[in-house]
mmCIF file with all atom_site columns, all heavy atoms in Angstrom:
data_model
loop_
_atom_site.group_PDB
_atom_site.id
_atom_site.type_symbol
_atom_site.label_atom_id
_atom_site.label_alt_id
_atom_site.label_comp_id
_atom_site.label_asym_id
_atom_site.label_entity_id
_atom_site.label_seq_id
_atom_site.pdbx_PDB_ins_code
_atom_site.Cartn_x
_atom_site.Cartn_y
_atom_site.Cartn_z
_atom_site.occupancy
_atom_site.B_iso_or_equiv
_atom_site.pdbx_formal_charge
_atom_site.auth_seq_id
_atom_site.auth_comp_id
_atom_site.auth_asym_id
_atom_site.auth_atom_id
_atom_site.pdbx_PDB_model_num
ATOM 1  N N   . TYR A 1 189 ? 81.690 118.733 81.152 1.00 96.00 ? 484 TYR A N   1
ATOM 2  C CA  . TYR A 1 189 ? 80.703 117.702 81.406 1.00 96.00 ? 484 TYR A CA  1
ATOM 3  C C   . TYR A 1 189 ? 79.299 118.246 81.455 1.00 96.00 ? 484 TYR A C   1
ATOM 4  O O   . TYR A 1 189 ? 78.331 117.657 81.054 1.00 96.00 ? 484 TYR A O   1
ATOM 5  C CB  . TYR A 1 189 ? 81.017 117.000 82.748 1.00 96.00 ? 484 TYR A CB  1
ATOM 6  C CG  . TYR A 1 189 ? 82.330 116.194 82.764 1.00 96.00 ? 484 TYR A CG  1
ATOM 7  C CD1 . TYR A 1 189 ? 82.954 115.847 83.867 1.00 96.00 ? 484 TYR A CD1 1
ATOM 8  C CD2 . TYR A 1 189 ? 82.933 115.852 81.555 1.00 96.00 ? 484 TYR A CD2 1
ATOM 9  C CE1 . TYR A 1 189 ? 84.204 115.184 83.889 1.00 96.00 ? 484 TYR A CE1 1
ATOM 10 C CE2 . TYR A 1 189 ? 84.117 115.141 81.524 1.00 96.00 ? 484 TYR A CE2 1
ATOM 11 C CZ  . TYR A 1 189 ? 84.744 114.807 82.756 1.00 96.00 ? 484 TYR A CZ  1
ATOM 12 O OH  . TYR A 1 189 ? 85.913 114.129 82.719 1.00 96.00 ? 484 TYR A OH  1
ATOM 13 N N   . LEU A 1 190 ? 79.167 119.460 82.111 1.00 96.00 ? 485 LEU A N   1
ATOM 14 C CA  . LEU A 1 190 ? 77.855 120.096 82.180 1.00 96.00 ? 485 LEU A CA  1
ATOM 15 C C   . LEU A 1 190 ? 77.306 120.375 80.780 1.00 96.00 ? 485 LEU A C   1
ATOM 16 O O   . LEU A 1 190 ? 76.163 120.216 80.429 1.00 96.00 ? 485 LEU A O   1
ATOM 17 C CB  . LEU A 1 190 ? 77.760 121.271 83.064 1.00 96.00 ? 485 LEU A CB  1
ATOM 18 C CG  . LEU A 1 190 ? 77.910 121.019 84.550 1.00 96.00 ? 485 LEU A CG  1
ATOM 19 C CD1 . LEU A 1 190 ? 78.033 122.346 85.287 1.00 96.00 ? 485 LEU A CD1 1
ATOM 20 C CD2 . LEU A 1 190 ? 76.800 120.264 85.131 1.00 96.00 ? 485 LEU A CD2 1
ATOM 21 N N   . LYS A 1 191 ? 78.232 120.958 79.924 1.00 95.00 ? 486 LYS A N   1
ATOM 22 C CA  . LYS A 1 191 ? 77.829 121.309 78.577 1.00 95.00 ? 486 LYS A CA  1
ATOM 23 C C   . LYS A 1 191 ? 77.472 120.051 77.705 1.00 95.00 ? 486 LYS A C   1
ATOM 24 O O   . LYS A 1 191 ? 76.505 120.117 76.964 1.00 95.00 ? 486 LYS A O   1
ATOM 25 C CB  . LYS A 1 191 ? 79.033 122.007 77.850 1.00 95.00 ? 486 LYS A CB  1
ATOM 26 C CG  . LYS A 1 191 ? 78.744 122.479 76.447 1.00 95.00 ? 486 LYS A CG  1
ATOM 27 C CD  . LYS A 1 191 ? 80.002 123.170 75.844 1.00 95.00 ? 486 LYS A CD  1
ATOM 28 C CE  . LYS A 1 191 ? 79.728 123.615 74.470 1.00 95.00 ? 486 LYS A CE  1
ATOM 29 N NZ  . LYS A 1 191 ? 80.858 124.358 73.873 1.00 95.00 ? 486 LYS A NZ  1
ATOM 30 N N   . ARG A 1 192 ? 78.106 118.951 78.004 1.00 94.00 ? 487 ARG A N   1
ATOM 31 C CA  . ARG A 1 192 ? 77.784 117.675 77.255 1.00 94.00 ? 487 ARG A CA  1
ATOM 32 C C   . ARG A 1 192 ? 76.645 116.905 77.921 1.00 94.00 ? 487 ARG A C   1
ATOM 33 O O   . ARG A 1 192 ? 76.349 115.850 77.433 1.00 94.00 ? 487 ARG A O   1
ATOM 34 C CB  . ARG A 1 192 ? 79.040 116.791 77.134 1.00 94.00 ? 487 ARG A CB  1
ATOM 35 C CG  . ARG A 1 192 ? 80.169 117.462 76.232 1.00 94.00 ? 487 ARG A CG  1
ATOM 36 C CD  . ARG A 1 192 ? 81.349 116.587 76.062 1.00 94.00 ? 487 ARG A CD  1
ATOM 37 N NE  . ARG A 1 192 ? 81.062 115.315 75.522 1.00 94.00 ? 487 ARG A NE  1
ATOM 38 C CZ  . ARG A 1 192 ? 80.959 115.152 74.145 1.00 94.00 ? 487 ARG A CZ  1
ATOM 39 N NH1 . ARG A 1 192 ? 81.283 116.174 73.342 1.00 94.00 ? 487 ARG A NH1 1
ATOM 40 N NH2 . ARG A 1 192 ? 80.650 113.933 73.671 1.00 94.00 ? 487 ARG A NH2 1
ATOM 41 N N   . GLN A 1 193 ? 76.157 117.375 79.069 1.00 94.00 ? 488 GLN A N   1
ATOM 42 C CA  . GLN A 1 193 ? 75.056 116.649 79.811 1.00 94.00 ? 488 GLN A CA  1
ATOM 43 C C   . GLN A 1 193 ? 75.491 115.274 80.209 1.00 94.00 ? 488 GLN A C   1
ATOM 44 O O   . GLN A 1 193 ? 74.810 114.319 80.070 1.00 94.00 ? 488 GLN A O   1
ATOM 45 C CB  . GLN A 1 193 ? 73.856 116.606 78.880 1.00 94.00 ? 488 GLN A CB  1
ATOM 46 C CG  . GLN A 1 193 ? 73.121 117.986 78.605 1.00 94.00 ? 488 GLN A CG  1
ATOM 47 C CD  . GLN A 1 193 ? 72.497 118.472 79.929 1.00 94.00 ? 488 GLN A CD  1
ATOM 48 O OE1 . GLN A 1 193 ? 71.548 117.928 80.428 1.00 94.00 ? 488 GLN A OE1 1
ATOM 49 N NE2 . GLN A 1 193 ? 73.008 119.683 80.410 1.00 94.00 ? 488 GLN A NE2 1
ATOM 50 N N   . LEU A 1 194 ? 76.752 115.184 80.691 1.00 94.00 ? 489 LEU A N   1
ATOM 51 C CA  . LEU A 1 194 ? 77.245 113.884 81.213 1.00 94.00 ? 489 LEU A CA  1
ATOM 52 C C   . LEU A 1 194 ? 77.030 113.797 82.667 1.00 94.00 ? 489 LEU A C   1
ATOM 53 O O   . LEU A 1 194 ? 77.287 114.753 83.364 1.00 94.00 ? 489 LEU A O   1
ATOM 54 C CB  . LEU A 1 194 ? 78.764 113.808 80.879 1.00 94.00 ? 489 LEU A CB  1
ATOM 55 C CG  . LEU A 1 194 ? 79.099 113.737 79.348 1.00 94.00 ? 489 LEU A CG  1
ATOM 56 C CD1 . LEU A 1 194 ? 80.635 113.730 79.230 1.00 94.00 ? 489 LEU A CD1 1
ATOM 57 C CD2 . LEU A 1 194 ? 78.484 112.524 78.638 1.00 94.00 ? 489 LEU A CD2 1
ATOM 58 N N   . SER A 1 195 ? 76.579 112.566 83.123 1.00 93.00 ? 490 SER A N   1
ATOM 59 C CA  . SER A 1 195 ? 76.406 112.372 84.564 1.00 93.00 ? 490 SER A CA  1
ATOM 60 C C   . SER A 1 195 ? 76.536 110.938 84.929 1.00 93.00 ? 490 SER A C   1
ATOM 61 O O   . SER A 1 195 ? 76.379 110.027 84.030 1.00 93.00 ? 490 SER A O   1
ATOM 62 C CB  . SER A 1 195 ? 75.110 112.974 85.018 1.00 93.00 ? 490 SER A CB  1
ATOM 63 O OG  . SER A 1 195 ? 74.031 112.199 84.473 1.00 93.00 ? 490 SER A OG  1
ATOM 64 N N   . TYR A 1 196 ? 76.766 110.636 86.169 1.00 93.00 ? 491 TYR A N   1
ATOM 65 C CA  . TYR A 1 196 ? 76.716 109.337 86.658 1.00 93.00 ? 491 TYR A CA  1
ATOM 66 C C   . TYR A 1 196 ? 75.480 109.326 87.649 1.00 93.00 ? 491 TYR A C   1
ATOM 67 O O   . TYR A 1 196 ? 75.596 109.649 88.822 1.00 93.00 ? 491 TYR A O   1
ATOM 68 C CB  . TYR A 1 196 ? 77.956 108.954 87.520 1.00 93.00 ? 491 TYR A CB  1
ATOM 69 C CG  . TYR A 1 196 ? 78.005 107.642 88.078 1.00 93.00 ? 491 TYR A CG  1
ATOM 70 C CD1 . TYR A 1 196 ? 78.157 106.498 87.270 1.00 93.00 ? 491 TYR A CD1 1
ATOM 71 C CD2 . TYR A 1 196 ? 78.000 107.371 89.419 1.00 93.00 ? 491 TYR A CD2 1
ATOM 72 C CE1 . TYR A 1 196 ? 78.178 105.206 87.751 1.00 93.00 ? 491 TYR A CE1 1
ATOM 73 C CE2 . TYR A 1 196 ? 77.986 106.112 89.927 1.00 93.00 ? 491 TYR A CE2 1
ATOM 74 C CZ  . TYR A 1 196 ? 78.092 105.021 89.115 1.00 93.00 ? 491 TYR A CZ  1
ATOM 75 O OH  . TYR A 1 196 ? 78.136 103.690 89.634 1.00 93.00 ? 491 TYR A OH  1
ATOM 76 N N   . GLY A 1 197 ? 74.343 108.848 87.108 1.00 88.00 ? 492 GLY A N   1
ATOM 77 C CA  . GLY A 1 197 ? 73.100 108.999 87.913 1.00 88.00 ? 492 GLY A CA  1
ATOM 78 C C   . GLY A 1 197 ? 72.382 110.238 87.454 1.00 88.00 ? 492 GLY A C   1
ATOM 79 O O   . GLY A 1 197 ? 72.433 110.650 86.360 1.00 88.00 ? 492 GLY A O   1
ATOM 80 N N   . LYS A 1 198 ? 71.789 110.897 88.398 1.00 91.00 ? 493 LYS A N   1
ATOM 81 C CA  . LYS A 1 198 ? 70.894 112.055 88.117 1.00 91.00 ? 493 LYS A CA  1
ATOM 82 C C   . LYS A 1 198 ? 71.782 113.259 87.771 1.00 91.00 ? 493 LYS A C   1
ATOM 83 O O   . LYS A 1 198 ? 72.834 113.492 88.357 1.00 91.00 ? 493 LYS A O   1
ATOM 84 C CB  . LYS A 1 198 ? 70.069 112.444 89.374 1.00 91.00 ? 493 LYS A CB  1
ATOM 85 C CG  . LYS A 1 198 ? 69.161 113.605 89.102 1.00 91.00 ? 493 LYS A CG  1
ATOM 86 C CD  . LYS A 1 198 ? 68.364 113.922 90.362 1.00 91.00 ? 493 LYS A CD  1
ATOM 87 C CE  . LYS A 1 198 ? 67.382 115.085 90.095 1.00 91.00 ? 493 LYS A CE  1
ATOM 88 N NZ  . LYS A 1 198 ? 66.593 115.391 91.362 1.00 91.00 ? 493 LYS A NZ  1
ATOM 89 N N   . MET A 1 199 ? 71.357 113.989 86.674 1.00 95.00 ? 494 MET A N   1
ATOM 90 C CA  . MET A 1 199 ? 72.139 115.138 86.224 1.00 95.00 ? 494 MET A CA  1
ATOM 91 C C   . MET A 1 199 ? 72.029 116.263 87.246 1.00 95.00 ? 494 MET A C   1
ATOM 92 O O   . MET A 1 199 ? 70.918 116.622 87.556 1.00 95.00 ? 494 MET A O   1
ATOM 93 C CB  . MET A 1 199 ? 71.664 115.589 84.864 1.00 95.00 ? 494 MET A CB  1
ATOM 94 C CG  . MET A 1 199 ? 72.428 116.667 84.147 1.00 95.00 ? 494 MET A CG  1
ATOM 95 S SD  . MET A 1 199 ? 74.023 115.991 83.605 1.00 95.00 ? 494 MET A SD  1
ATOM 96 C CE  . MET A 1 199 ? 74.982 117.580 83.342 1.00 95.00 ? 494 MET A CE  1
#
Side-chain angles (χ1 to χ4, degrees):
Y484 296 159
L485 289 177
K486 182 177 180 180
R487 295 181 61 86
Q488 292 288 296
L489 296 174
S490 68
Y491 181 68
K493 185 179 179 180
M494 188 72 196

